[in-house]
Amino acid sequence: MNAALASVNGDDLGGGFRHTRNAAGVIAAGALAPLGVHGFMSTATINARDRAAIVAWADAAAPGAASRLRGVDQVHGAEIVRADSLRDGRRVEADGVVAASPHDVPVVLAADCAPVWLVDPIARVLALVHAGWRGVAAGVIEAGVRACVENGASTAALTAAIGPHLQACCFEVGPEVAVRFPKHIRPSATLLAERRRADSCALDLASAIAARLSAAHVRSINVASACTRCRADILHSYRRNGKGGPLMAAFATFGGP
C-alpha cells in the first residue's frame, strides 16, 4: 500500500477491506497489499458513471494508474478478457479483466454486485471480476480463475478478495433465483430491508462466490462484510438508489507491499 494510506485507521469493512479516511473516496483491499498488489474500490463520494471522475479518483488512489485502466462493457455474463487486448481503448462485452503486466490495471464497476480480485503474487497475474448473481450463475468466478491459470497463475497460489456488495440482509430474491443457489439461500427473516414480495428469501452472494472459488481450488479467500445497501454513508447501492444511479469503481495494480 502506498505511504499515504499505510498508517490509516479507517472503517473496518471485513475481509481486510478498510475505508481509508485520509484519502477521499478510497476503500483498500488490505489483504492484497502483502502480495504486492494495490486493490482499491471507490466510495459514495465518487460516481463512477463519470469517466473523468474515475480517472481523477484512480490517480489519487494510485498515481499513474488512470492511464493504464483496462475496462469492459459489463453484461452480467462470464466472459473474461486479457487486459493487453484493451490497451488501444477497445471496449468489449465482458465481466472481468485479467492482467499479467504492470502496464495494465483491470477495472470493473459495481453498485451491489461484488468486485472480486484474484491475485497470484508469484506469477504476477491478477484479475478483477464483476460478480452479481447472474454472472455467478453463469460461471464468471470459474472463468476468472481459469483466465488466471491460462496466463500463468497457479490455483494453489491464488488469493481472492470479495469486495463490499449487497449482503444477505438486503438481497431479496424470488424462487426463480433461489433455485439457482440452493445452498446459499437464507430465510426471509434474514432480510432487514422491507420485502417487496411474499414468496421471497435472502441470497448470500458472498457464500455462493466463496463456494465456487473453493471448488476451483482457490485456498485463500477474503470476504468483505460491508453491505452496499446498509452503508449509505460510504457505498452506492442499486437496490437503494434505483436504476441509473451512481456506480463504484474497483481496480487492481501491481505495486510494492
Side-chain angles (χ1 to χ4, degrees):
M1 191 173 293
N2 64 40
L5 300 178
S7 61
V8 171
N9 292 313
D11 293 335
D12 183 356
L13 305 180
F17 288 88
R18 188 169 291 276
H19 176 211
T20 58
R21 295 182 178 180
N22 75 335
V26 172
I27 292 170
L32 303 183
L35 306 180
V37 170
H38 301 312
F40 294 134
M41 183 173 178
S42 64
T43 68
T45 61
I46 308 296
N47 181 4
R49 286 192 186 277
D50 180 348
R51 173 68 182 177
I54 295 179
V55 168
W57 167 75
D59 260 344
S67 63
R68 296 174 287 140
L69 292 177
R70 314 297 180 212
V72 291
D73 295 329
Q74 297 167 196
V75 292
H76 296 278
E79 186 72 21
I80 309 294
V81 299
R82 285 177 54 103
D84 57 9
S85 72
L86 305 172
R87 289 180 184 172
D88 61 357
R90 174 173 169 255
R91 302 286 297 192
V92 298
E93 291 188 347
D95 283 274
V97 181
V98 61
S101 166
H103 297 295
D104 300 310
V105 176
V107 59
V108 298
L109 307 182
D112 276 341
C113 297
V116 180
W117 290 260
L118 294 166
V119 177
D120 180 336
I122 301 171
R124 301 279 285 173
V125 172
L126 61 86
L128 193 55
V129 175
H130 164 248
W133 75 259
R134 290 178 178 82
V136 173
V140 74
I141 298 302
E142 295 87 343
V145 173
R146 188 163 57 250
C148 287
V149 171
E150 289 171 352
N151 283 273
S154 162
T155 54
L158 282 176
T159 288
I162 303 171
H165 59 280
L166 192 69
Q167 301 285 350
C169 58
C170 295
F171 207 154
E172 182 183 21
V173 298
E176 70 282 0
V177 175
V179 70
R180 296 170 179 255
F181 300 94
K183 296 182 179 180
H184 310 289
I185 295 301
R186 308 294 177 252
S188 58
T190 302
L191 294 165
L192 301 179
E194 182 179 357
R195 294 174 64 190
R196 296 186 177 184
R197 51 191 294 179
D199 62 349
S200 65
C201 54
L203 173 62
D204 188 339
L205 182 63
S207 173
I209 293 171
R212 284 161 173 75
L213 287 168
S214 293
H217 308 293
V218 176
R219 299 173 183 174
S220 178
I221 303 171
N222 304 273
V223 185
S225 57
C227 175
T228 45
R229 191 181 188 282
C230 290
R231 292 301 305 267
D233 57 327
I234 59 170
L235 299 169
H236 292 310
S237 168
Y238 171 81
R239 293 280 179 119
R240 187 180 64 244
N241 297 328
K243 186 176 181 179
L247 298 173
M248 296 174 291
F251 73 85
T253 180
F254 293 104

